[in-house]
Amino acid sequence: MMKQFKFNLILLVAFCSQANDAFCQDIKGKRPKIGVTLSGGGAKGLAHIGILKAIDSAGIKVDYLTGTSMGSIVGALYAIGYSGKQIEEMAGDMDWSTLLTNQSNQDEIIMEEKEEYGKYAVEIPYRSGKFKIKTGILESEELWLKLSNVFYPVFGIKDFNQFSIPFKCIATNAANGQAVVLDKGEIVTAVRSSMAIPSIFTAVRLDSMKLVDGGVVRNFPVEDVKAMGADFVIGVNVSAGLAPTSQLNNPIAILMNAVFFKAAEDAKKEIPLCDIYIPMPVENFSTGSFNRSAAIIDTGVDVGNRLYPMFKKLKDSLDAIYGYQPPPGPRLPEIKEVLISEVEIEGLVKTSKEFFLEFMGFELNKEYGPDDIGLMIRRGFGHRYYDRITYELESLPDGKTKIKFLVSENPLATAKMSVHFNKFSGLALIVNFTIRNLITDASRSLITANLGERLRARAEHMEFFGKHKNFATKLSAYYEFLDFTSYQNYSETGIYRQRYFNVDFHAMYSMDYRFTIGLGSRYEYLDYTPSIKAYIDAKGRTRFFTSYLMFKYNTVDRKIYPRRGMRGDASVEWVYGQKGNIVLLQNGQEILNTDTISLEDKNYLRTNFYLEGYIPVGQRGTITALAESGMNYDYNLFFQNDYYIGGLTRQFRNQVVFAGYPEGVNTTSSYASLQLGYRFQLFNNLFLIWRSNAMFYDLLDHQYLDVKSSFLSGHALSIGYLSIIGPIEFSVMYGDQSKQFQTYINIGFSFY
């Protein structure tokens, strides 16, 4: 496994331990300085941790440290004072699925933005009269904040030579392809620059440069640690070099090989400079194998354990020649709150300083710790006016602290796109155009269209008010044109087309990022036309008004496949002012004798309730629960506000998600249902999901039909994959009452 070692110093030490004292006096004057170099390699760089743990266990004092990319992150953490064991625990607790995306935790997005946040696979900003693509796919606000949090103990140190272990990391100047050695400034900016893989992570602006991953030119910076003064170098390399021809089977692999040509040549010169060279056996992992982080860390720990006797012999031999050197003690500076007395903001263009600070709830002359600052920044980020907020702290002479926020504003206009497929709604391209500050400095306007077999569209304008922008009003219009299959005894009987249109205005007050209460009214229009006639059909149109009081609650940590939290909504609605003409058809002919059926346009009360919750079980399991109910009281109209039972994803108005049956298998004016499930994470983005549900429906008396309460139950087993375009699920369902198996496919986020 260990392909190459150079034990120059060990051999010298072994010789001296047996030679006469006079001979050895010449080399006993100055203890050799030990340097460590950690290579880049993406997720494979987590294996470095095992070597650092072995070095700690042997009691070796590291004098200098260099790293590139993931090696710069692990190396910087060790340099500022974290032990190998502490870094291992930190890496094990990382939520890589969030850190390596552009998504923040869902519970940190304001309620008014939760529905839109994270729905689109592609977002293209519109700046200066043209659409501009970012320098990389990932900006990752959460990664910036995580780095700021773990490096908080050394916020006052701007010279990396003053760390517990002097440190340098390598980035690449994107303009000329030259290596940039970073040893001063903000450590967070330095390591984020060093790991900015071109086209994957956005480039980092530093002074007049745009920096990308140092692995492009110098992935294994041994020469730099020797230049710092290291006499003896331990080099750990997790990079296998360029991929062989057999693995160049896709454009990404070819691109990555081309990007790292120069680094591969440089490594040939760097490796011979090591006194102990450790090529890690991580060939079975890729740079993106963060879903296998535990296995990578274990691999490094196994190697470290095998090398421990060698490190211990090195330590003991050096002590025998140069005198005993105590093992390094705790090196990490104390983490404490700081009193912030000054604030500076860089990057504001369209929003004001007051607007920015109000969103975050920042106050001067108040003590803040790293978690406080992170929460404050997430609060500002959650309003979606900014796509990155980072910070720097500067110690002032009077014992106080200055904070500098570095802000990148979201563009005032963004075009967004995603793809969705579902058996019910078909294949569609969903396009969105969002504009901020169109009317006032605290507003959001958007137009969204579902371009597929049937057109659906929505337009809305939202205004924020109040000191902390926690009061909002929204004006919206919605249109859909859908085909519905009608069923009798769980068999298809016909198809009818429904056109639905509404105009809605409501006011909302958000007490925090979890709860909103609102009051509003909407105008609604419905039109029904049988397309493939059933034995009994309805045809016609109706118009009505609905005024409502609503409540929304959301604490889930992720939009899709949450691990913890709850989300739900409830409403009390008054339906009135109905006007329309609905007729019943039998075999396509109007039923003229409707004396026994009352279709009176009568005002009525309506209530809706929806609540789902998630509880983590172990590292990979999640228990899910969903409770729903809907009631139309004293209701005697066909279709106007009936509920449509069936389907695994919410596709349209008044749908009741229910495993085991297709959309619209039953319609009812009242129901109560409960779904329980279990989701197991097979791999990082692959899930196995079980759902079982039961429902009582037709709970309230009908004036137009003589029905009694009915029971329905069903189940579904799904394989789900979280992709760049959203969830991809293939399901097999079974209905207990229909005695039928169904398949169900959903790709991406639905329009509704």
Side-chain angles (χ1 to χ4, degrees):
M1 182 181 63
M2 296 295 103
K3 298 178 181 177
Q4 178 182 344
F5 292 96
K6 288 175 62 181
F7 299 135
N8 299 340
L9 185 60
I10 293 179
L11 294 174
L12 179 62
V13 167
F15 175 79
C16 276
S17 64
Q18 301 176 27
N20 61 63
D21 290 341
F23 180 86
C24 295
Q25 286 299 320
D26 290 339
I27 65 168
K28 287 186 178 180
K30 181 183 177 183
R31 191 181 186 98
K33 298 294 185 180
I34 295 180
V36 171
T37 293
L38 306 178
S39 78
K44 295 186 290 185
L46 295 172
H48 291 313
I49 297 171
I51 303 303
L52 298 179
K53 288 185 67 179
I55 289 173
D56 285 342
S57 297
I60 294 173
K61 179 183 181 296
V62 176
D63 298 289
Y64 304 106
L65 205 155
T66 59
T68 296
S69 198
M70 181 58 80
S72 76
I73 297 177
V74 175
L77 290 171
Y78 192 74
I80 72 169
Y82 289 100
S83 68
K85 181 175 178 56
Q86 287 174 313
I87 300 172
E88 180 184 32
E89 293 171 351
M90 191 183 302
D93 292 337
M94 292 283 190
D95 182 3
W96 298 106
S97 61
T98 298
L99 292 178
L100 300 177
T101 67
N102 281 327
Q103 304 302 312
S104 185
N105 284 343
Q106 185 79 4
D107 57 350
E108 291 159 351
I109 304 300
I110 62 171
M111 288 293 293
E112 294 82 2
E113 294 279 357
K114 287 183 189 289
E115 291 182 6
E116 286 293 306
Y117 182 65
K119 282 182 64 173
Y120 300 95
V122 178
E123 297 190 10
I124 305 175
Y126 186 79
R127 304 179 190 269
S128 304
K130 63 178 70 174
F131 290 105
K132 294 184 178 180
I133 299 176
K134 292 184 176 182
T135 57
I137 298 171
L138 299 178
E139 178 66 61
S140 188
E141 172 72 4
E142 282 298 318
L143 178 60
W144 278 101
L145 289 179
K146 187 63 178 179
L147 293 174
S148 296
N149 188 284
V150 297
F151 288 110
Y152 179 89
V154 293
F155 73 82
I157 302 177
K158 309 303 181 184
D159 182 350
F160 304 166
N161 289 313
Q162 296 178 12
F163 290 161
S164 172
I165 300 172
F167 173 76
K168 297 179 189 289
C169 63
I170 311 300
T172 302
N173 187 335
N176 57 25
Q178 297 299 309
V180 179
V181 180
L182 300 171
D183 59 3
K184 290 181 174 61
E186 295 296 326
I187 183 61
V188 172
T189 303
V191 297
R192 174 60 174 79
S193 302
S194 183
M195 61 158 288
I197 300 173
S199 77
I200 304 299
F201 287 96
T202 55
V204 177
R205 182 175 291 278
L206 182 64
D207 300 327
S208 60
M209 300 180 293
K210 279 193 173 180
L211 302 180
V212 295
D213 195 314
V216 172
V217 291
R218 194 178 303 156
N219 196 51
F220 193 40
V222 182
E223 65 181 77
D224 299 282
V225 80
K226 291 188 76 69
M228 294 172 75
D231 302 300
F232 187 85
V233 178
I234 302 171
V236 190
N237 193 355
V238 299
S239 176
L242 298 176
T245 302
S246 61
Q247 296 180 15
L248 299 179
N249 48 20
N250 62 74
I252 298 297
I254 294 173
L255 175 62
M256 289 296 101
N257 249 26
V259 166
F260 294 108
F261 274 154
K262 190 173 181 180
E265 286 300 311
D266 181 76
K268 295 177 182 178
K269 298 183 296 182
E270 303 284 349
I271 291 173
L273 300 178
C274 297
D275 296 285
I276 297 179
Y277 173 63
I278 307 172
M280 297 294 277
V282 287
E283 297 85 359
N284 294 329
F285 304 99
S286 72
T287 57
S289 296
F290 288 96
N291 59 314
R292 303 173 67 190
S293 59
I296 296 172
I297 293 171
D298 288 344
T299 299
V301 170
D302 288 343
V303 174
N305 289 340
R306 285 195 283 272
L307 293 179
Y308 167 77
M310 180 190 71
F311 290 139
K312 187 65 169 67
K313 183 176 181 179
L314 173 62
K315 161 68 173 168
D316 293 342
S317 299
L318 289 172
D319 285 348
I321 297 174
Y322 300 102
Y324 177 72
Q325 183 181 62
R331 300 180 290 113
L332 189 68
E334 180 184 0
I335 301 175
K336 57 183 179 180
E337 294 184 340
V338 294
L339 180 64
I340 298 179
S341 59
E342 292 186 25
V343 60
E344 179 184 346
I345 307 172
E346 180 181 297
L348 295 181
V349 178
K350 302 295 185 181
T351 56
S352 67
K353 177 179 179 179
E354 293 73 23
F355 181 88
F356 175 78
L357 295 178
E358 282 178 3
F359 265 160
M360 295 203 305
F362 174 78
E363 298 178 28
L364 275 176
N365 298 311
K366 181 178 177 181
E367 289 189 342
Y368 290 93
D371 293 337
D372 302 323
I373 298 174
L375 178 62
M376 181 173 59
I377 288 177
R378 288 183 176 93
R379 188 181 298 133
F381 181 79
H383 284 80
R384 305 302 298 123
Y385 274 82
Y386 311 97
D387 71 351
R388 188 183 77 244
I389 305 173
T390 60
Y391 70 94
E392 299 173 359
L393 295 172
E394 178 184 344
S395 298
L396 300 177
D398 57 1
K400 297 180 181 179
T401 303
K402 173 184 175 180
I403 189 167
K404 180 180 180 180
F405 294 107
L406 297 98
V407 179
S408 173
E409 293 180 329
N410 270 323
L412 293 185
T414 306
K416 309 175 185 181
M417 290 175 284
S418 63
V419 175
H420 178 248
F421 173 79
N422 186 277
K423 184 178 179 180
F424 172 81
S425 57
L427 179 65
L429 175 67
I430 302 175
V431 295
N432 170 279
F433 193 69
T434 299
I435 306 175
R436 296 186 184 274
N437 300 358
L438 179 64
I439 297 178
T440 70
D441 288 340
S443 66
R444 186 202 72 187
S445 307
L446 62 82
I447 298 174
T448 309
N450 183 96
L451 307 177
E453 297 176 19
R454 290 288 179 262
L455 175 65
R456 290 195 273 180
R458 177 172 60 251
E460 68 178 46
H461 177 78
M462 183 163 56
E463 292 276 352
F464 292 98
F465 303 93
K467 181 178 179 181
H468 299 293
K469 311 302 179 187
N470 51 2
F471 180 77
T473 59
K474 182 191 289 186
L475 175 65
S476 64
Y478 175 77
Y479 172 81
E480 68 180 19
F481 181 24
L482 300 175
D483 285 346
F484 284 82
T485 301
S486 57
Y487 293 84
Q488 186 173 6
N489 294 325
Y490 310 108
S491 297
E492 298 180 8
T493 58
I495 296 177
Y496 67 92
R497 290 179 175 174
Q498 174 182 290
R499 289 181 175 86
Y500 173 74
F501 172 76
N502 76 39
V503 177
D504 182 289
F505 177 81
H506 62 267
M508 302 171 285
Y509 178 75
S510 298
M511 299 178 184
D512 53 30
Y513 282 36
R514 301 173 297 172
F515 180 75
T516 291
I517 184 171
L519 186 66
S521 293
R522 63 178 173 264
Y523 166 80
E524 302 180 69
Y525 171 85
L526 278 164
D527 181 282
Y528 312 95
T529 304
S531 175
I532 298 178
K533 297 177 176 58
Y535 177 71
I536 295 291
D537 279 315
K539 179 180 180 180
R541 63 186 60 87
T542 181
R543 299 180 294 274
F544 55 96
F545 292 90
T546 304
S547 293
Y548 57 88
L549 175 66
M550 69 169 187
F551 307 86
K552 290 188 176 183
Y553 183 79
N554 193 327
T555 61
V556 300
D557 57 345
R558 304 172 187 170
K559 191 177 189 72
I560 297 297
Y561 303 138
R563 282 277 287 158
R564 56 178 56 82
M566 300 175 67
R567 61 184 166 196
D569 57 66
S571 65
V572 179
E573 306 177 349
W574 181 247
V575 183
Y576 59 96
Q578 299 99 315
K579 290 184 180 180
N581 180 27
I582 298 177
V583 297
L584 298 182
L585 305 176
Q586 183 174 348
N587 292 323
Q589 301 298 315
E590 182 177 346
I591 300 175
L592 300 178
N593 181 14
T594 58
D595 294 340
T596 60
I597 301 177
S598 171
L599 297 178
E600 179 185 358
D601 292 338
K602 181 174 157 183
N603 301 342
Y604 60 93
L605 182 69
R606 171 179 163 88
T607 60
N608 295 289
F609 174 81
Y610 173 95
L611 181 66
E612 59 181 324
Y614 303 89
I615 301 173
V617 179
Q619 292 293 318
R620 295 180 176 270
T622 304
I623 294 175
T624 67
L626 168 62
E628 285 190 84
S629 73
M631 304 287 172
N632 290 303
Y633 301 91
D634 201 17
Y635 168 77
N636 66 343
L637 294 174
F638 272 95
F639 297 118
Q640 186 187 79
N641 267 319
D642 279 0
Y643 299 99
Y644 295 78
I645 301 170
L648 291 179
T649 57
R650 201 168 297 276
Q651 303 286 319
F652 53 88
R653 165 185 173 271
N654 284 351
Q655 180 189 0
V656 181
V657 173
F658 200 81
Y661 300 90
E663 291 86 351
V665 70
N666 276 325
T667 61
T668 181
S669 65
S670 56
Y671 75 95
S673 70
L674 176 66
Q675 181 185 103
L676 297 176
Y678 179 75
R679 183 177 69 237
F680 184 77
Q681 185 175 4
L682 298 170
F683 301 105
N684 191 38
N685 291 320
L686 188 66
F687 301 85
L688 184 66
I689 308 159
W690 173 264
R691 304 175 180 98
S692 291
N693 42 212
M695 167 189 290
F696 289 97
Y697 63 98
D698 290 339
L699 298 173
L700 302 178
D701 291 336
H702 288 265
Q703 294 187 23
Y704 60 87
L705 290 174
D706 181 19
V707 297
K708 296 182 179 179
S709 175
S710 300
F711 179 77
L712 193 67
S713 59
H715 320 273
L717 180 64
S718 308
I719 290 288
Y721 179 74
L722 184 55
S723 71
I724 192 172
I725 64 172
I728 299 175
E729 284 192 10
F730 176 79
S731 307
V732 177
M733 307 189 298
Y734 179 76
D736 292 325
Q737 283 67 43
S738 68
K739 309 296 183 184
Q740 296 175 359
F741 284 96
Q742 303 268 347
T743 58
Y744 191 92
I745 299 174
N746 185 80
I747 300 174
F749 295 104
S750 68
F751 175 82
Y752 190 76

